[in-house]
């Protein structure tokens, strides 16, 4: 096979892996949007916050140590213990559930029946708030997250694909972390689908997503469902935070993946879980291939905007996205 | 007692439809203008101009622009930063290409160029609505920033990739470049703000403003009663782009002096201006000023309290700034979704009945 084609295939494979990571973030958006009609801009910051909390707990950092030191003139920073990864993940999950409850109790309960755009702006406010809290709690320096996921290029894939090309081709370069992320994402989606199909809470959740008032009338507690769905979104954010954090370090730029997830959503439709996944894959592959073929001609770094422009062009022809419900407007 | 219409008779139609129907408001407006033009320039110093007044005035223009688009016409835009960059870069190109033409004309032209670019990016709004449009404007934001970063023609092939404003003067007074006096910066911005605010106020209460508001409230219904959505939406984008472009040009030429696109006109600038109009009040010119003042003063105030007063490190103050800004936005949306402008309106209603509220 010609080298150019092989490289294109490699780029496509890497794009697929990146797309899975985008889809992970987009999933959190879709879940909340379906269940409560809130377009949660804070999803990316939630991922950052979850990752920060996980690292903080694992390293035994003292929360708010900067603030405490500034007020009392002390010099504390660590408890001096290390928490094993699994326990730390569980503890972080508990924090995210608490966060979900707080958000529901103190923000969105007071905003029921407001226009969607007001809710959207409230989540932007929430994103800023949470970012500040995260930095204040755990400090804003870049942290490394290591919970024992495999890292580095997969030699197995390289060895087994080297025969495809001729001289100078050493097989496809695929990061093992990406493979792990893909597997985790598949498991996550399977669990979510099983949860929403076969459990009582999952069914209640789908009922709320379908029709709030009808769900209320058969005795489903909206408050509980909303806390539940924010907790699930927190869990998805934690998974996304772990994957992105392990890939590129836990830092502020992690919260910007929320912005990357937006075109994914637009492409897939705001209300569709398969849409989030397919959209993620299309965006991931599309931006990598575009950067590979067109990027060198226009100066590179096209990944910054390609996804948005693609989504924009797509929407002009199909305003509800790939799998979204058809928008019907009445006066 | 003195704040009411009673006894103030309108004898002509222009009097009947004036912006400030209450005599007290009218005088207050003239007093504010007089103080801003005749007193403040003489007491202005570098700190107050650079930390408070100049950014406040420039952000006010940007907020008025975004408020026309989002508050009056209902089209949410997250591309304000990128559009300000268009204003800044076109101003820079004009300043360096035609050094003999007055900077004031360049700023206006930069506004015009931005209006054209924004109208182009507004075209999809005819098909895409709501959130989808908000996300689509992100395309403009990221694409424009990338463009100004990657195409060296825009920054005149300078090695650093920065643009820096050459020295230009108006009537012999230096207004751009490093040798600008504080009061000159302030006065230039003030003149632009005053003109923009008067234009915006009169546009929004005329026919065109009413068509914008009809589109905002329900575009299909507006279309049925005979509002042309193409015209209404695109004019909103155009007017908004003009103001945002002027703001961008002033921000670069007068306030910053030198700018790098990702640093000065990034996505956080878009959100900052959006916050201003949310906190100030959507669909209100006064709200744009109030919101801009609030968002400019808040960090200065917090910094003075925490760093100056309590002696905490600056990064801590920056984090607290995030928390307070985010918290305030949520609080405003819960308590008063129509922002500071609505509080102002309520206060005026109360004042009209004072001191006999029953």
């Amino acid at each position: 096979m010609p080298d150019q084609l092989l490289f294109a295939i490699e780029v496509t494979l890497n794009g697929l892996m990146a797309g899975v990571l985008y889809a992970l973030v987009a999933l959190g958006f879709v879940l909340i949007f379906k269940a409560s009609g809130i377009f949660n801009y804070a999803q990316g910051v939630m991922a950052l916050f979850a990752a920060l909390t996980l690292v903080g707990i694992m390293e035994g950092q003292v929360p708010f140590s900067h603030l405490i030191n500034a007020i009392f003139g002390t010099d504390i920073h660590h408890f001096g213990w290390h928490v094993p990864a699994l326990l730390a993940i569980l503890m972080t999950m508990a924090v995210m559930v608490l966060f979900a409850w707080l958000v529901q109790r103190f923000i969105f309960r007071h905003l029921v029946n407001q226009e969607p755009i007001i809710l959207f702006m409230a989540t932007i406010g929430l994103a800023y708030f949470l970012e500040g809290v995260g930095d204040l709690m755990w400090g804003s320096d870049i942290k490394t997250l290591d919970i024992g996921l495999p890292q580095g290029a997969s030699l197995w894939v390289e060895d087994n694909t080297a025969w495809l090309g001729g001289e100078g081709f050493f097989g496809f370069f695929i990061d093992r972390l990406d493979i792990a992320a893909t597997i985790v994402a598949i498991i996550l989606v399977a669990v979510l689908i099983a949860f929403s199909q076969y459990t009582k809470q999952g069914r209640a959740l789908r009922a709320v997503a379908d029709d709030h008032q009808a769900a209320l009338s058969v005795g489903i507690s909206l408050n509980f469902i909303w806390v539940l769905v924010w907790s699930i979104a927190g869990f998805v954010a934690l998974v996304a935070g772990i994957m992105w954090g392990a890939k590129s370090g836990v830092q502020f730029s992690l919260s910007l993946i929320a912005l990357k997830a937006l075109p994914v959503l637009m492409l897939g439709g705001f209300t569709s879980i398969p849409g989030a996944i397919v959209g993620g894959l299309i965006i991931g592959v599309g931006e990598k291939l575009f950067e590979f073929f067109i990027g060198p001609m226009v100066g590179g770094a096209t990944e910054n905007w390609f996804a948005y422009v693609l989504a924009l062009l797509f929407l002009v022809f199909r305003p509800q996205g790939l799998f979204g419900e058809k928008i019907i407007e009445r006066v | 007692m003195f704040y009411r219409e009673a006894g103030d008779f309108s004898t002509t139609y222009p009097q009947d439809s004036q912006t400030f129907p209450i005599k007290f408001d009218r005088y207050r407006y003239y007093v504010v203008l007089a103080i801003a033009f005749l007193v403040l320039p003489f007491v202005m110093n570098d700190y107050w101009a650079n930390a408070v007044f100049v950014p406040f005035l420039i952000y006010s223009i940007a907020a008025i622009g975004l408020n026309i688009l989002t508050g009056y016409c209902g089209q949410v835009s997250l591309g304000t930063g990128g559009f300000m960059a268009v204003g800044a870069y076109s101003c820079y190109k004009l300043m360096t290409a035609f050094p003999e033409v007055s900077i004031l004309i360049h700023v206006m032209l930069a506004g015009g160029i931005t209006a054209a670019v924004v109208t182009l990016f507004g075209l999809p709004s005819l098909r895409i609505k709501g959130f989808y449009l908000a996300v689509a404007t992100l395309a403009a934001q990221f694409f424009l920033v990338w463009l100004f970063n990657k195409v060296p023609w825009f920054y005149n092939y300078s090695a650093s990739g920065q643009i820096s404003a050459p020295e230009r003067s108006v009537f012999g007074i230096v207004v751009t470049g490093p040798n600008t006096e504080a009061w000159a910066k302030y006065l230039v911005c003030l003149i632009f703000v005053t003109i923009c605010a008067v234009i915006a106020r009169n546009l929004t209460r005329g026919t065109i403003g009413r068509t914008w508001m009809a589109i905002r409230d329900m575009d299909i219904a507006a279309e049925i009663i005979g509002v042309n959505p193409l015209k209404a939406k695109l004019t909103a984008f155009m007017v908004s782009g003009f103001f945002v472009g002027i703001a961008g040009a002033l921000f670069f030429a007068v306030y910053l002096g030198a700018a790098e696109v990702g640093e000065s006109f990034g996505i956080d600038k878009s959100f900052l201006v959006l916050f201003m109009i949310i906190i100030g009040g959507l669909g209100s010119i006064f709200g744009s000023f109030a919101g801009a003042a609030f968002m400019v003063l808040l960090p200065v105030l917090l910094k003075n309290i925490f760093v100056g007063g309590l002696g905490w490190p600056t990064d801590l103050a920056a984090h607290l700034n995030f928390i307070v800004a985010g918290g305030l936005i949520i609080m405003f949306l819960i308590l008063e979704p129509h922002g500071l402008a609505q509080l102002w309106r309520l206060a005026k209603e109360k004042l009209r009945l004072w001191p006999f509220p029953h």
Side-chain angles (χ1 to χ4, degrees):
Chain A
M1 273 195 262
D3 281 359
Q4 186 77 358
L5 183 68
L6 282 171
F7 283 129
I9 293 173
E10 182 178 317
V11 168
T12 310
L13 284 174
N14 278 315
L16 279 174
M17 303 289 177
V20 169
L21 289 176
Y22 293 146
L24 264 183
V25 184
L27 259 182
F29 278 97
V30 171
L31 283 170
I32 292 187
F33 188 78
K34 266 181 87 100
S36 58
I38 296 170
F39 184 79
N40 180 25
Y41 176 78
Q43 187 68 32
V45 185
M46 277 164 71
L48 171 68
F49 181 75
L52 275 176
T53 311
L54 181 62
V55 175
I57 291 176
M58 276 174 69
E59 311 249 303
Q61 261 186 306
V62 181
F64 299 110
S65 54
H66 273 72
L67 191 64
I68 296 169
N69 291 345
I71 296 175
F72 301 110
T74 51
D75 186 29
I76 49 172
H77 45 92
H78 284 88
F79 287 121
W81 65 60
H82 285 267
V83 181
L86 200 63
L87 187 63
I89 289 175
L90 286 177
M91 283 163 78
T92 311
M93 200 46 231
V95 172
M96 293 315 280
V97 172
L98 179 71
F99 167 75
W101 183 79
L102 287 175
V103 164
Q104 188 51 36
R105 176 68 188 74
F106 289 104
I107 302 178
F108 290 104
R109 219 162 118 180
H110 302 283
L111 287 172
V112 172
N113 265 340
Q114 291 280 8
E115 288 166 40
I117 205 77
I118 301 268
L119 296 173
F120 173 55
M121 288 173 182
T123 61
I124 299 181
L126 178 66
Y128 268 64
F129 184 78
L130 193 59
E131 201 180 306
V133 171
D135 284 348
L136 201 63
M137 230 167 137
W138 306 110
S140 53
D141 43 332
I142 300 175
K143 299 176 180 61
T144 51
L145 176 63
D146 181 21
I147 59 163
L149 285 170
Q151 301 261 8
S154 166
L155 293 175
W156 184 82
V157 175
E158 278 192 16
D159 290 343
N160 283 288
T161 50
W163 55 270
L164 282 169
E167 278 299 302
F169 181 76
F170 302 107
F172 294 133
F173 178 90
I174 291 175
D175 199 329
R176 280 191 292 171
L177 184 67
D178 284 340
I179 299 175
T182 312
I183 295 167
V184 168
I186 291 168
I187 295 172
L188 186 71
V189 171
V191 168
L192 281 178
I193 289 174
F195 173 76
S196 62
Q197 294 289 338
Y198 299 113
T199 64
K200 192 176 162 193
Q201 273 75 26
R203 288 192 181 132
L205 204 149
R206 281 195 296 147
V208 172
D210 223 32
D211 190 330
H212 287 183
Q213 286 188 338
L216 260 181
S217 72
V218 294
I220 295 169
S221 158
L222 280 187
N223 271 328
F224 172 73
I225 290 298
W226 281 336
V227 172
L228 179 71
V229 81
W230 275 85
S231 309
I232 296 175
F235 176 62
V236 176
L238 174 62
V239 175
I242 292 174
M243 292 308 163
W244 280 98
K247 200 176 164 79
S248 52
V250 181
Q251 51 176 321
F252 169 72
S253 69
L254 202 66
S255 63
L256 296 180
I257 53 170
L259 292 173
K260 248 321 165 27
L262 293 178
V264 171
L265 286 171
M266 288 166 62
L267 213 65
F270 280 116
T271 50
S272 159
I273 290 180
I277 296 162
V278 176
L281 295 180
I282 293 177
I283 296 274
V285 174
E287 71 177 18
K288 289 281 189 302
L289 280 181
F290 188 81
E291 176 69 27
F292 179 66
F293 286 116
I294 315 284
M297 291 179 224
V298 291
T302 53
E303 280 149 333
N304 287 340
W305 55 268
F306 175 77
Y308 302 95
V309 175
L310 180 71
L312 177 65
L313 292 179
F314 184 80
L315 279 191
V316 171
F317 296 103
R318 202 179 152 81
Q320 72 270 37
L322 269 178
F323 297 95
E325 289 155 20
K326 183 136 184 63
I327 303 166
I328 300 167
E329 287 184 283
R330 293 189 185 87
V331 175
Chain B
M1 210 185 274
F2 41 82
Y3 189 80
R4 55 196 56 173
E5 301 94 329
D8 185 12
F9 301 109
S10 322
T11 48
T12 58
Y13 282 113
Q15 270 181 7
D16 197 40
S17 59
Q18 58 194 340
T19 298
F20 298 108
I22 295 175
K23 205 184 236 166
F24 181 82
D25 268 343
R26 214 147 54 227
Y27 289 133
R28 180 184 50 83
Y29 170 65
Y30 292 133
V31 168
V32 169
L33 275 189
I35 292 176
F37 274 99
L38 301 175
V39 179
L40 283 180
F42 295 102
V43 295
M44 190 60 58
N45 62 22
D46 262 342
Y47 176 75
W48 279 96
N50 284 329
V52 178
F53 280 102
V54 173
F56 159 63
L57 292 171
I58 293 172
Y59 280 126
S60 299
I61 305 180
I64 289 174
L66 186 63
N67 219 335
I68 283 176
L69 189 60
T70 304
Y72 284 97
C73 197
Q75 314 294 309
V76 183
S77 161
L78 295 177
T80 319
F83 298 145
M84 279 172 83
V86 177
Y89 276 77
S90 46
C91 183
Y92 173 69
K93 286 305 284 185
L94 288 166
M95 278 166 89
T96 47
F98 308 101
E100 65 281 1
V101 180
S102 164
I103 170 82
L104 300 182
I105 294 174
H106 285 327
V107 172
M108 300 297 262
L109 282 177
I113 293 170
T114 314
V117 173
V118 175
T119 314
L120 189 71
F121 279 105
L123 280 175
S125 72
L126 301 168
R127 277 284 284 175
I128 311 171
K129 286 166 191 167
F131 295 134
Y132 288 90
L133 180 68
V135 181
T137 53
L138 277 178
Q141 167 74 42
F142 286 105
F143 179 73
L144 289 169
V145 167
W146 174 85
L147 188 71
F148 292 131
N149 233 336
K150 287 290 171 195
V151 182
W153 181 79
F154 285 113
Y155 49 86
N156 282 357
Y157 305 93
S158 79
S160 60
Q162 276 197 333
I163 51 172
S164 53
E167 191 169 296
R168 295 284 179 272
S169 50
V170 181
F171 304 123
I173 301 158
V174 181
V175 293
T176 63
N179 300 322
T180 318
E181 299 277 342
W183 66 269
K185 282 186 185 184
Y186 166 76
L187 212 55
V188 172
C189 295
L190 184 66
I191 290 167
F192 273 106
V193 168
T194 315
I195 296 170
C196 288
V198 170
I199 294 175
R201 171 69 193 159
N202 286 305
L203 275 179
T204 49
R205 66 197 188 124
T207 316
I208 190 159
R210 279 161 201 271
T211 59
W212 290 340
M213 286 187 256
I215 290 284
R216 169 192 67 189
D217 291 339
M218 187 179 251
D219 51 354
I220 294 189
E223 207 175 335
I224 289 168
I225 60 168
V227 173
N228 182 352
L230 175 88
K231 213 174 118 193
K233 282 184 182 172
L234 289 190
T235 46
F237 271 99
M238 201 157 73
V239 174
S240 160
F242 181 70
F243 288 144
V244 172
I246 287 182
L250 289 176
F251 194 71
F252 151 68
V254 177
Y255 178 55
L256 289 179
E260 198 274 321
V261 62
E263 191 78 15
S264 315
F265 301 105
I267 179 82
D268 30 336
K269 201 109 302 173
S270 304
F271 281 121
L272 182 67
V273 182
L274 187 68
F275 285 170
M276 284 175 186
I277 66 168
I278 296 172
I279 287 187
L282 292 167
S284 156
I285 300 294
F286 169 76
S288 313
F289 283 101
F294 193 89
M295 291 305 283
V296 169
L297 282 176
L298 185 70
V300 177
L301 195 69
L302 287 180
K303 200 173 171 205
N304 275 332
I305 293 175
F306 292 126
V307 180
L310 297 172
W312 292 4
T314 37
D315 62 323
L316 211 58
H319 299 160
L320 282 170
N321 188 18
F322 269 113
I323 296 181
V324 173
L328 278 171
I329 285 157
I330 296 172
M331 223 173 72
F332 263 103
L333 288 172
I334 291 173
L335 298 177
E336 188 50 83
H338 301 287
L340 292 168
Q342 180 67 12
L343 290 179
W344 178 244
R345 258 175 242 137
L346 288 175
K348 285 208 286 195
E349 282 302 305
K350 287 255 165 40
L351 204 58
R352 281 178 64 219
L353 297 176
W354 184 83
F356 304 113
H358 297 295

